Amino acid sequence: MAKKPMYRQIADAIRQQVENGELKPGDALPTESALQAQFAVSRVTVRQALKQLTEQQIIESIQGSGSYVKEEKVNYDIYQLTSFYEKLADRNVETHSEVQIFEVTKADELLAARLQLTTDEKVWHVKRVRFIKQKPVTLEETWMPLSLFPDLTWEVMENSKYHFIENVKKMVIDRSEQEIIAVMPSDDVVKALGIDPSKPVLEKVSRGYLKDGRVFEFSRNIFKSDDYKFTLVARRKH
């Protein structure tokens, strides 16, 4: 029987470590240099092994960071209006947001209509990348009426805007109208999330309402399809 190629032997060894629990979801793999030294092989062979493990959904590569054991997809329950942090509360993982844009701008005709404002009213425009551990998983762009949130800060948007709205502003969030479609990623998305430009992403466009009927946000979220799954419960009408 022919001997198994070295790259497959390396892949098998790493897979066994994952199955045995020696490497857990989210753990970083040794660097390519360390794997070269460990198995006395070339960088090309190591990369072949990592490529096979990536294709098998056992590991994932994060641009500029390294390779990690793949975690379970985040379950996004469409019927539960929860924040990014609340959705991950049961996972006990480190999360944070990196704010890229935080500015006040004038609403154009389309944005004004979405936020139930008059044209040229001022709105907050915030763009931020959401991370699970050190991995970027979501790119969010949000517009919020300045009149509702004159005291919004960069620090708030580094954390939870829902916490700010409900616990600081004492406003009651009622619902969110959402639309989810698959789209090809823009250059901006590819750069922010470190993804393959040829692979579709999931885009969620939403409009959030307060209990009194006012629209408090219009948002566009881009999700890496490898990291999220969207679920809902459909009941039969009787």
Side-chain angles (χ1 to χ4, degrees), residues 16-234:
Q16 194 63 52
Q17 286 182 292
V18 173
E19 290 173 357
N20 292 344
E22 296 170 49
L23 284 172
K24 296 178 174 57
D27 282 355
L29 265 63
T31 63
E32 289 184 1
S33 298
L35 289 171
Q36 273 184 263
Q38 180 182 343
F39 293 99
V41 295
S42 68
R43 187 174 292 266
V44 171
T45 301
V46 166
R47 287 181 175 173
Q48 281 182 298
L50 296 179
K51 182 173 182 288
Q52 183 180 74
L53 291 168
T54 301
E55 290 171 348
Q56 294 171 346
Q57 300 280 299
I58 293 168
I59 68 166
E60 60 186 339
S61 176
I62 299 177
Q63 200 169 20
S65 180
S67 295
Y68 296 80
V69 178
K70 193 162 179 60
E71 300 195 59
E72 287 183 32
K73 290 188 177 186
V74 177
N75 183 31
Y76 195 109
D77 187 338
I78 295 172
Y79 284 119
Q80 292 294 319
L81 182 54
T82 50
S83 71
F84 174 74
Y85 297 101
E86 289 168 339
K87 279 183 169 55
L88 293 163
D90 63 343
R91 294 273 292 269
N92 194 30
V93 294
E94 176 205 343
T95 60
H96 72 278
S97 297
E98 184 179 287
V99 178
Q100 297 184 333
I101 296 174
F102 183 79
E103 63 182 3
V104 173
T105 185
K106 287 183 179 179
D108 60 19
E109 193 173 337
L110 184 59
L111 187 57
R114 285 167 170 164
L115 290 172
Q116 296 179 351
L117 303 173
T118 57
T119 305
D120 289 342
E121 275 195 70
K122 291 183 178 179
V123 297
W124 287 108
H125 172 220
V126 184
K127 182 184 281 189
R128 55 185 179 168
V129 181
R130 323 302 296 273
F131 289 79
I132 297 177
K133 295 187 177 178
Q134 298 305 310
K135 180 177 68 174
V137 295
T138 310
L139 177 64
E140 177 194 87
E141 199 162 10
T142 302
W143 293 265
M144 303 165 70
L146 179 65
S147 58
L148 279 181
F149 309 107
D151 50 348
L152 187 69
T153 65
W154 182 292
E155 288 72 26
V156 165
M157 297 308 290
E158 283 184 318
N159 294 284
S160 172
K161 67 176 179 238
Y162 277 21
H163 180 272
F164 170 72
I165 292 168
E166 294 178 319
N167 297 83
V168 178
K169 303 297 290 182
K170 304 300 182 183
M171 295 175 174
V172 180
I173 296 173
D174 180 55
R175 70 188 190 279
S176 176
E177 296 174 352
Q178 306 179 359
E179 177 182 291
I180 300 170
I181 55 175
V183 298
M184 296 306 295
S186 64
D187 291 343
D188 189 32
V189 171
V190 169
K191 182 179 179 183
L193 300 182
I195 56 175
D196 182 345
S198 66
K199 189 171 185 179
V201 291
L202 298 170
E203 179 182 73
K204 177 173 72 72
V205 177
S206 60
R207 186 158 60 162
Y209 291 82
L210 297 173
K211 196 72 174 177
D212 60 15
R214 288 179 294 176
V215 178
F216 71 88
E217 72 165 338
F218 173 73
S219 290
R220 182 179 292 112
N221 287 265
I222 301 292
F223 299 92
K224 291 171 69 174
S225 55
D226 283 349
D227 294 309
Y228 278 84
K229 61 179 179 181
F230 289 78
T231 63
L232 56 84
V233 176

